[in-house]
Each structure stands twice: as structure tokens, then as C-alpha cells.
Amino acid sequence: MVQWQVMSRCLVTADLHSNARAFEAVLADAARGKGFDELWVLGDIVGYGPHPEECIRLVRDYPHACVGGNHDLGVLGRIDLERFNSDAALACLWTRGRLSTEAEAFLGALTLRLERAPFLLVHGSPRDPVWEYVLSERVARDMPPYCEADHCLVGHTHRAAVYRMGGCPRGSMGAVLNGTVLEFGAEHLIINPGAVGQPRDGDPRAAYAILDREEGTIVFHRVAYDVEGTAEAMLRGGLPECLATRLHLGL
Ligand code: ZN
């Protein structure tokens, strides 16, 4: 039985990837209407984009619950950069030299799993929070032994999606679109809000979700931001050109 806590509305984000203009657009969009009480970040605050320090500062401006992702660990030197593709590794090295001591300490203190009942927050998957991608119902089906919470919130794939943990009696759920409202019921779900800073589902707009714990719903959103300015900042900063190009495509 789901126990919804009183503190109600959470802004759920993942994969900010040092894209401060996208993150600001999300924060402003989410503040409209009923707003939000707490910011949840499902890893990869940094890597790829031009504004690592700014993104960490923005997270710290809000009451937050935040887990680390593979890029956060890569930037800190806690995982071997050979496990990344060459552009991602270059971006990790680029970021490493640009963080303040405070920002580095913030990333260094992040845990990989965080419980906010009835949710587990991780970057990749409950089985492997750092590297595993949940991109199908088949993978989601294997997760119950690794997740004691009713539902799991993940990032890492950069695609907004919902999957059922432990089987799928009525067909796949998969990708979700802007404006989708999901009501929590008896089924245990794995939910990905999509990426703020580098969407990969063909829609370049920043993705996020609003979880209303009182109503028992999660609503998926997309918001436009200054892609052009961000891509230019990446090129000016000397980040790989293809990382800037892919922002325009949302791929
Ligand atoms: Zn990522």
C-alpha cells in the first residue's frame, strides 16, 4: 500500500549535464501554477555542457534530494574514463578543471541510491545505479529484487518513459509524451522524467516531471530553452562540436 507523504510536490529531473539554460527554463516552468516544494535530481548534474558550476549552484539553491550519476563520478575521477566514449571522456576532463572546491565537494558527497518513500531514486537502475540503462520492459522486469521501494525513479537514458517492474500484463508502456499524466496505482513502476540538458528522443526541449504526492500523480513536461546560445557556449569553451550539434537534434 502506497503511503503518500504530506510534503507534496516534487520537481523530478535527471541528466542536467551542465546545461544551465535548460535547467533554468525547467525551474521557471515548474514554478508556475502550484509550483514545487522540493527538487529531485537523478544524477549526471555535470558532463557534456558548458555550465557545470552554475548547474551545481542552481541545485543547491533549492531544497533537494540528489543522487550521483556516471558523469558525476567520471568528473571526480572515481571511475575510469575509458568506460566513456571519447567525447564524453573529453567533456569529463574539461569539466574537471572548472569546478570550485565547493562544487567538487558537493558532487563528492552524493550517494548513488536514495529512498524517499515510496520511491527509490537512482541514476541508472536499481541493480546498477551507475551504468545500467532501463530502456525496455524486459529490463524493468528484472528489477524487483533490487528495489524495496514501491517505485523507482531513474535517469541515464535521456528519454522520458514509464515501465512496469516485474512484468507487463497489458502491453508495454514505454516512452511518454509532453503532458502525459500518470496516476499511481497498485503496479510498481520505473519512471524516467527524461533529460534536462541533453534529450535523446528527437525532441530538443528540456524534459522534467512534477510528482504530486498528495494527488498520487506524475505529470511529464517539455520546455523550450536557448539551444543556440548553449551550443555556442560549448564551441567557445572548446567542447567537442558534435556535443553541441546533438542539442539541436535532441539526439
Ligand atoms: Zn546522462
Side-chain angles (χ1 to χ4, degrees), residues 193-245:
V196 171
Q198 195 203 71
R200 292 182 191 160
D201 56 5
D203 181 346
R205 294 177 298 172
Y208 71 96
I210 294 282
L211 174 64
D212 193 315
R213 300 167 92 183
E214 220 165 277
E215 289 178 2
T217 59
I218 186 163
V219 185
F220 295 82
H221 296 274
R222 302 303 281 256
V223 60
Y225 73 96
D226 182 10
V227 174
E228 190 66 47
T230 303
E232 273 170 25
M234 290 168 76
L235 296 177
R236 265 201 318 276
L239 283 158
E241 191 177 348
C242 64
L243 295 180
T245 309

Side-chain angles (χ1 to χ4, degrees), residues 153-165:
L153 300 171
V154 302
H156 197 39
T157 67
H158 299 208
R159 292 159 187 250
V162 179
Y163 300 104
R164 294 183 183 95
M165 271 195 269

Side-chain angles (χ1 to χ4, degrees), residues 14-17 43-44 46 48 70-71 123 133 155-158 195 198 200:
D15 299 285
L16 316 184
H17 281 300
D44 281 4
V46 298
Y48 292 133
N70 54 318
H71 285 255
H123 180 59
Y133 293 90
H156 197 39
T157 67
H158 299 208
Q198 195 203 71
R200 292 182 191 160

Side-chain angles (χ1 to χ4, degrees), residues 5-90:
Q5 294 183 359
V6 185
M7 221 227 9
S8 180
R9 289 171 65 85
C10 303
L11 165 55
V12 185
T13 64
D15 299 285
L16 316 184
H17 281 300
S18 301
N19 188 336
R21 300 295 85 77
F23 191 28
E24 282 170 343
V26 162
L27 290 165
D29 204 49
R32 293 199 185 102
K34 288 201 233 167
F36 60 95
D37 308 303
E38 194 174 29
L39 166 67
W40 289 2
V41 185
L42 305 167
D44 281 4
I45 302 176
V46 298
Y48 292 133
H51 310 120
E53 184 78 18
E54 218 177 322
C55 281
I56 292 170
R57 204 180 59 232
L58 284 166
V59 171
R60 297 176 73 189
D61 279 348
Y62 292 84
H64 59 263
C66 187
V67 293
N70 54 318
H71 285 255
D72 304 316
L73 294 171
V75 166
L76 291 170
R78 291 195 184 167
I79 49 179
D80 195 340
L81 292 185
E82 282 185 12
R83 295 200 64 180
F84 291 84
N85 70 50
S86 59
D87 290 324
L90 275 171

